[in-house]
Amino acid sequence: MSKTKDAQAVKAVLDYLNRQNRPYSAIDIVNNLHKEFGKTAVVKACEGLTEAGKIREKVYGKQKVYVADQSQFPDVDDGEIKEMDAQISKLSELTKLRSDEVRRLESELKGLNNTISTEDAKKQLAEYEKECAACKEKLNKLKEGGNTITPQEKDKIYSSRKGFVKEWRKRKRIANDILNAVLEGYPKTKKQLYEEVGIETDEEYKVSPPEV
């Protein structure tokens, strides 16, 4: 290895240990420097810096660790340590709150992604309205004494009604789940949310899904 590369390794190791100010083995330093320098170069740099008194070497059995020379750092009194501990505690609590908020928003986003788009909902609504109009037309003919429907048509109507009621209940449940998730972080009342978004409920029109 060239002298320039050796010098670069020495500087990188010294800067890293001073910046982190905690003990590391030579292997740790190699990995933390993203293997920019090989193990041999890092070990050589650590040994040279130790001999020069710029870092300290500590031996634990067969393991050697290296740490920055503490004499270069200013003394920290108990008051500063307590202040830093308080700040760490405050930041840890803030981190927990942010993590909880992220999980809540991810859950809300997942629920929204599982619902159909507005465009698809409009298409389905148009199809249902068309089918409903056809059923009303048949019903009017029956009331007027027109031709009776076949058993197959009757079964199809009952089956369609059952599907519509089931879809009604499903969509109502999904909508309530989404709105309840939004209300967890919404600063106003449920009524104010409905008014702002423009939500109309079954209860408002005094209707409810019939029993199938």
Side-chain angles (χ1 to χ4, degrees), residues 3-184:
K3 291 184 178 181
T4 301
K5 194 68 174 178
D6 285 342
Q8 290 175 349
V10 169
K11 184 178 185 305
V13 170
L14 180 60
D15 289 345
Y16 180 76
L17 289 176
N18 284 337
R19 185 168 62 253
Q20 299 298 323
N21 193 21
R22 55 177 294 183
Y24 291 100
S25 68
I27 292 298
D28 289 334
I29 297 172
V30 170
N31 292 329
N32 293 342
L33 291 178
H34 308 293
K35 298 183 180 180
E36 182 180 353
F37 306 98
K39 179 181 176 182
T40 301
V42 170
V43 170
K44 183 178 179 181
C46 289
E47 291 175 348
L49 288 167
T50 300
E51 291 177 4
K54 293 183 178 181
I55 64 174
R56 295 288 180 265
E57 178 186 272
K58 296 183 181 294
V59 180
Y60 299 96
K62 295 182 179 181
Q63 178 77 20
K64 289 183 179 181
V65 296
Y66 301 92
V67 66
D69 179 15
Q70 299 301 300
S71 65
Q72 65 181 308
F73 301 115
D75 293 334
V76 180
D77 59 32
D78 292 339
E80 289 178 308
I81 293 176
K82 289 181 180 178
E83 183 179 344
M84 285 188 286
D85 286 341
Q87 186 176 7
I88 290 172
S89 178
K90 182 179 179 181
L91 291 174
S92 297
E93 181 64 24
L94 182 61
T95 299
K96 182 180 182 301
L97 291 174
R98 291 290 182 268
S99 296
D100 292 342
E101 179 69 8
V102 168
R103 282 194 293 270
R104 186 186 69 77
L105 291 174
E106 286 178 343
S107 176
E108 180 181 335
L109 178 60
K110 183 179 180 181
L112 292 172
N113 287 335
N114 288 335
T115 61
I116 63 174
S117 66
T118 302
E119 183 179 352
D120 290 338
K122 288 181 177 179
K123 289 180 180 179
Q124 288 190 11
L125 177 61
E127 293 174 359
Y128 294 152
E129 287 177 343
K130 184 178 179 181
E131 292 177 6
C132 184
C135 290
K136 284 182 178 180
E137 184 179 352
K138 285 188 176 182
L139 179 61
N140 289 334
K141 287 182 178 180
L142 289 173
K143 287 181 178 180
E144 294 171 358
N147 295 329
T148 58
I149 61 174
T150 65
Q152 291 79 8
E153 288 177 318
K154 180 180 177 181
D155 290 341
K156 183 178 179 181
I157 291 172
Y158 277 112
S159 178
S160 296
R161 177 182 179 275
K162 184 177 180 181
F164 295 152
V165 172
K166 182 178 180 181
E167 188 68 21
W168 183 354
R169 293 180 185 277
K170 175 184 175 183
R171 293 185 181 213
K172 184 173 183 179
R173 183 179 67 255
I174 292 174
N176 285 333
D177 289 345
I178 293 173
L179 289 169
N180 289 333
V182 173
L183 281 168
E184 290 181 7

Side-chain angles (χ1 to χ4, degrees), residues 177-194:
D177 289 345
I178 293 173
L179 289 169
N180 289 333
V182 173
L183 281 168
E184 290 181 7
Y186 187 69
K188 300 179 183 179
T189 65
K190 182 177 183 179
K191 182 179 179 181
Q192 289 173 311
L193 172 63
Y194 282 19

